[in-house]
Amino acid sequence: MLKIFKAFVLVLFFLGFSANVAAHEVRPAYLQISETGNNIYKVFWKVPTIRNAEPDIKPIFPKGYTLEMLRTPQTRGNGMVYAYVLKGNESLAGKQITIEGLSSSGIDALINIEYANGEKASLLVQPGKNSGIIPGKTDKGQVVKTYTILGVEHILFGLDHLLFVLALIIITKGFKKVLKTITAFTLAHSITLSMAVLGYANVPGPPVEAIIALSIVFLAVEILKNINGEQTLTSKKPWLVAFTFGLLHGFGFAGALAEVGLPQSEIPLALAFFNVGVELGQIGFVILALILIKILALNKNWPMALKKLPAYAIGSIAMFWMIERIAGFWN
């Protein structure tokens, strides 16, 4: 009967997921500033496209600096890229920068700056505080904070990754088995995330995203077979399925991190804490799901229809994602 309660939890989650069926995580805006001369900077500003629309946000530099556009804005990946030259009478270090419109956009903005003397620094500004002081040198504490937050946000807004994890929880019996399965998933995507970011593996993003959606369809079919009394590979060895598909999900995480960018002087640190953030978000999600399952288990009379509805919902939504992503190959 526990599977019924687990399935009913998924129905509740679908009510929230259906409002954003595209399953694209919320990506931050990205501002790259590189000093090329005495207080002269090249500026690249990438604004993510959200629901096929570009948020009305832009960087505002301190008074005394002039911003000149270098070329016509270009589409790159899931966003628009603007290129500028910024000139001033003194260094940007220690100056305040503001991202106008960020408060109403609901997204973050990551700022990476490289000075002519080789120093590099990072800063994350968020809707609740859309301005900050530009660091003059690398701050390891800021790197840890920034990339941990980005990791947590990536997993919590990456609905396809969460849906995969939730499907694993539904089909896996027993807390110890769930723990083993989620650990296998974590280990697998940590391996491929690190390999991809460090340049040891390179897999095209669009096919990976399509296969990630297919992995969710696979689990939906496995759930239905399990409900019908069949013993499947996932029900017997969920950790093996989690590890196998987790390798693919790691490449998906790497694609998102590549779009955000890494501070070149602190790549291992930023990578490690992005992964820590992902795991923190995932652990929080798993705990919440298990708590809700336990609460719903107090009622022992859920009808049969609720057992199969989540599996069909999972399969339908994931199939939509897969078709959408395959269609995007030619866009």
Side-chain angles (χ1 to χ4, degrees):
M1 292 297 289
L2 185 58
K3 287 185 294 182
I4 302 176
F5 310 134
K6 290 182 176 182
F8 190 71
V9 172
L10 188 55
V11 175
L12 297 180
F13 275 94
F14 278 142
L15 295 177
F17 288 162
S18 60
N20 190 356
V21 73
H24 296 302
E25 70 280 358
V26 177
R27 299 178 187 272
Y30 179 62
L31 182 63
Q32 175 66 47
I33 306 171
S34 301
E35 188 175 19
T36 58
N38 187 25
N39 302 322
I40 299 174
Y41 304 85
K42 278 188 178 180
V43 176
F44 294 94
W45 170 238
K46 182 175 182 180
V47 183
T49 302
I50 300 175
R51 301 183 189 91
N52 299 317
E54 181 184 335
D56 185 16
I57 57 177
K58 60 182 179 180
I60 303 296
F61 292 93
K63 292 181 179 180
Y65 292 85
T66 59
L67 196 64
E68 300 175 9
M69 184 171 285
L70 280 177
R71 60 170 182 260
T72 303
Q74 299 178 342
T75 301
R76 188 178 299 173
N78 295 317
M80 292 293 295
V81 177
Y82 300 80
Y84 304 95
V85 171
L86 179 71
K87 298 179 181 179
N89 296 321
E90 54 186 342
S91 174
L92 278 173
K95 300 295 189 297
Q96 179 170 290
I97 186 170
T98 300
I99 307 298
E100 187 175 79
L102 200 66
S103 299
S104 59
S105 71
I107 63 176
D108 300 339
L110 176 64
I111 302 168
N112 278 338
I113 183 166
E114 181 177 353
Y115 296 100
N117 63 4
E119 284 286 356
K120 300 178 178 69
S122 298
L123 175 68
L124 183 69
V125 293
Q126 299 177 289
K129 186 181 179 183
N130 66 341
S131 64
I133 303 300
I134 297 175
K137 61 180 181 179
T138 301
D139 183 338
K140 293 182 184 294
Q142 183 65 44
V143 171
V144 168
K145 177 183 176 182
T146 295
Y147 283 87
T148 300
I149 291 173
L150 289 173
V152 171
E153 290 184 347
H154 177 78
I155 189 66
L156 293 183
F157 288 105
L159 301 185
D160 47 1
H161 300 296
L162 290 184
L163 195 57
F164 181 86
V165 170
L166 194 53
L168 282 174
I169 295 173
I170 287 174
I171 206 169
T172 305
K173 300 177 181 178
F175 178 77
K176 289 184 178 180
K177 209 169 184 179
V178 168
L179 182 61
K180 182 179 179 180
T181 300
I182 298 303
T183 300
F185 179 66
T186 296
L187 178 61
H189 69 62
S190 297
I191 290 172
T192 46
L193 169 61
S194 300
M195 289 178 62
V197 170
L198 297 176
Y200 296 110
N202 184 21
V203 179
V208 166
E209 294 296 328
I211 296 174
I212 286 173
L214 181 61
S215 72
I216 303 171
V217 175
F218 170 79
L219 285 185
V221 174
E222 293 282 280
I223 292 171
L224 284 173
K225 289 181 178 179
N226 199 237
I227 290 172
N228 291 330
E230 297 182 40
Q231 287 296 306
T232 64
L233 175 62
T234 309
S235 61
K236 292 177 181 177
K237 297 182 178 180
W239 61 269
L240 179 60
V241 173
F243 185 86
T244 302
F245 284 122
L247 295 172
L248 288 169
H249 283 250
F251 285 118
F253 291 142
L257 188 54
E259 289 201 14
V260 171
L262 287 167
Q264 294 303 303
S265 60
E266 296 290 351
I267 287 179
L269 185 67
L271 172 60
F273 280 91
F274 179 82
N275 206 30
V276 167
V278 167
E279 301 321 319
L280 289 174
Q282 181 175 282
I283 289 170
F285 177 78
V286 170
I287 291 173
L288 177 61
L290 291 175
I291 289 174
L292 290 176
I293 287 170
K294 190 172 182 65
I295 292 172
L296 291 172
L298 298 175
N299 187 333
K300 303 184 182 298
N301 297 308
W302 301 113
M304 175 65 72
L306 286 178
K307 294 173 66 177
K308 293 189 175 181
L309 177 61
Y312 284 116
I314 290 176
S316 298
I317 294 175
M319 186 62 73
F320 175 87
W321 291 337
M322 187 177 70
I323 294 171
E324 179 189 47
R325 292 170 183 183
I326 291 175
F329 292 176
W330 294 274
N331 291 339

